[in-house]
Amino acid sequence: MSIDPKSAMVALWLTKAHNDLSNSDIILSSKREKLPLDTVCFHAQQAIEKALKGLLAHHGGDVSRSHDLVKLLNDAKQLAPELVEFTESMELISEYGVGIRYPDFYYEPSLPEAHQAYEVAKKVVAVIEESISKV
């Protein structure tokens, strides 16, 4: 029995989202004194972005090249209304996707900010997986 191409693509989006969550978890679990917290936040943003794109792909929607979590959430929230609770978080976490990676926008998030971004990402991915499993 083979998996249809759409289901395979959705599975790949979610696998990539989990890989990003794993990267954040590995860093936050490290015993190192100085942690790359910008990287934790970047991977949290990436996990959310990929999970949202997986949800859109699952429903046959347009999977844009956008990194803007607010836009992606707006595109996806009618598919999974429970995502609305994350609207406020998406503005901040969306900033971790592009600007934080470059030295001209240097910003080092605090440990609580990194933990918050990671926790939100885990919840968003779980909500999306639950939504996909219902269909």
Side-chain angles (χ1 to χ4, degrees):
M1 184 164 112
S2 66
I3 297 177
D4 68 276
K6 181 179 92 170
S7 295
M9 183 56 65
V10 171
L12 288 172
W13 278 118
L14 295 175
T15 296
K16 297 293 275 178
H18 279 282
N19 288 347
D20 282 305
L21 288 176
S22 292
N23 277 306
S24 289
D25 182 49
I26 289 165
I27 293 167
L28 289 171
S29 300
S30 172
K31 302 296 184 210
R32 293 180 64 178
E33 186 173 318
K34 174 114 173 82
L35 301 175
L37 300 175
D38 58 336
T39 305
V40 171
C41 293
F42 170 72
H43 283 293
Q45 184 280 338
Q46 288 289 290
I48 295 169
E49 178 182 330
K50 291 166 186 167
L52 287 167
K53 289 178 178 181
L55 177 65
L56 292 169
H58 177 72
H59 288 281
D62 178 39
V63 180
S64 70
R65 295 271 183 196
S66 177
H67 302 293
D68 182 351
L69 297 184
V70 175
K71 179 202 178 311
L72 291 168
L73 182 68
N74 283 332
D75 293 345
K77 64 186 176 187
Q78 72 274 9
L79 305 172
E82 54 274 38
L83 290 171
V84 171
E85 75 174 276
F86 301 104
T87 302
E88 193 174 306
S89 299
M90 291 306 105
E91 284 189 35
L92 174 62
I93 295 174
S94 194
E95 292 297 319
Y96 298 144
V98 180
I100 203 166
R101 296 183 298 163
Y102 299 101
D104 56 339
F105 178 81
Y106 188 77
Y107 172 72
E108 185 65 31
S110 67
L111 185 58
E113 287 174 305
H115 275 287
Q116 178 67 20
Y118 173 60
E119 291 302 322
V120 169
K122 286 194 313 186
K123 290 175 186 171
V124 169
V125 171
V127 165
I128 289 171
E129 288 178 324
E130 177 67 24
S131 176
I132 288 172
S133 72
K134 292 179 184 176
V135 178

